[in-house]
Amino acid sequence: MAKFSLFSDTSRRIAEADSVAVIGLGRFGSALAEELMSSGTEVLGIDRDEDLVQSFNGVLTQVVRGDSTKEEVLRQLAVDQFDRVVVAIGHDVQASILTASLLLQLKVPIIWAKAENEQHGRILEQLGVHHVIYPERTMGRRVAHLVRGAALDYLEIERGYSLAKITAPSSVRGIPLGQTAIRQKHGITVAAVASGRAGWHNADNSTVLSEGDRILIVGPTASVEAFAQLR
């Protein structure tokens, strides 16, 4: 394990910053790591694949080849010093579970873990992983809403409650939102509006929508879907 000692000091420095350790640099893990980097977060990337690790050299703050199912490797990479760790391991469910278990034993404060299916997710939850995510399932539901053509963008905040970007329907245009009784009639709230090339701004009761305005609506999923179908 001596090869990892070269990285321990750097890993500990990263852990002290606004940082995240991402274990597993497949499609999901790499996309997550790169997005974190673009937002100014320092990232330690870990994967067992040497070629994959080399491809991220210079892309992430630090990237290291290592076996996350071994406690001594996690310690030498100072993963136990991070406040936030993401287990983004793909199809190797056993490695994902072993890694998550070790991170919990090391008392990492916040652990996110990708689940391949319901059974995998249930095991992670039973272990005590703080956040279990299902990227494929979540993306599938999101795309389904977009394919229907009712929304320009869609986000399920949690099961049964959603946010959507839509074009303002004619029924709420031309008068202040406070006079439309939109919450009483449709069960949703208009949170923000963008007109023409202007940027987004918060909506309130005095906001008057025009044709072509884009709006963000939030509320129970069924209500959001129904309102998004209006023209």
Side-chain angles (χ1 to χ4, degrees):
M1 294 302 153
K3 67 177 294 183
F4 296 105
S5 64
L6 296 172
F7 302 100
S8 59
D9 289 343
T10 304
S11 299
R12 286 189 172 84
R13 180 188 61 77
I14 297 173
E16 293 173 356
D18 178 23
S19 58
V20 177
V22 177
I23 302 174
L25 295 174
R27 285 179 298 178
F28 172 71
S30 60
L32 171 68
E34 290 184 86
E35 185 65 23
L36 287 168
M37 288 291 295
S38 70
S39 66
T41 300
E42 294 198 49
V43 176
L44 166 65
I46 304 169
D47 200 281
R48 288 189 292 191
D49 187 314
E50 179 67 35
D51 292 336
L52 196 54
V53 167
Q54 289 297 326
S55 71
F56 282 95
N57 187 31
V59 177
L60 306 181
T61 310
Q62 182 187 8
V63 60
V64 183
R65 180 178 177 271
D67 184 351
S68 62
T69 66
K70 300 184 183 302
E71 181 178 346
E72 62 268 31
V73 172
L74 295 178
R75 288 190 181 278
Q76 289 195 44
L77 291 176
V79 176
D80 58 317
Q81 303 295 316
F82 283 74
D83 290 331
R84 295 168 294 170
V85 178
V86 180
V87 182
I89 296 172
H91 299 297
D92 192 340
V93 173
Q94 182 178 2
S96 167
I97 292 169
L98 286 172
T99 299
S101 178
L102 285 172
L103 292 172
L104 287 164
Q105 291 178 41
L106 294 172
K107 301 188 184 304
V108 173
I110 302 175
I111 302 169
W112 293 74
K114 172 189 174 182
E116 288 292 303
N117 50 52
E118 291 286 348
Q119 184 180 27
H120 182 195
R122 194 176 304 117
I123 294 171
L124 291 170
E125 289 172 354
Q126 290 171 349
L127 284 174
V129 170
H130 311 104
H131 304 281
V132 178
I133 48 180
Y134 301 82
E136 287 83 4
R137 186 179 70 182
T138 301
M139 182 56 69
R141 286 204 297 262
R142 179 169 179 258
V143 171
H145 288 280
L146 300 179
V147 169
R148 291 181 64 196
L152 303 173
D153 205 350
Y154 177 88
L155 173 66
E156 188 174 55
I157 298 171
E158 63 179 42
R159 196 68 170 172
Y161 201 82
S162 304
L163 179 148
K165 178 172 72 173
I166 67 171
T167 300
S170 58
S171 60
V172 294
R173 297 198 301 250
I175 58 174
L177 281 175
Q179 297 178 24
T180 63
I182 194 170
R183 292 182 186 174
Q184 293 79 3
K185 291 180 180 178
H186 302 285
I188 59 94
T189 297
V190 178
V193 57
S195 302
R197 294 184 179 180
W200 288 92
H201 59 273
N202 293 338
D204 56 33
N205 286 338
S206 65
T207 300
V208 178
L209 301 176
S210 302
E211 184 177 359
D213 283 356
R214 293 157 293 151
I215 57 175
L216 291 181
I217 60 173
V218 61
T221 299
S223 299
V224 167
E225 290 180 338
F227 190 78
Q229 297 290 338
L230 299 178
R231 292 293 179 265

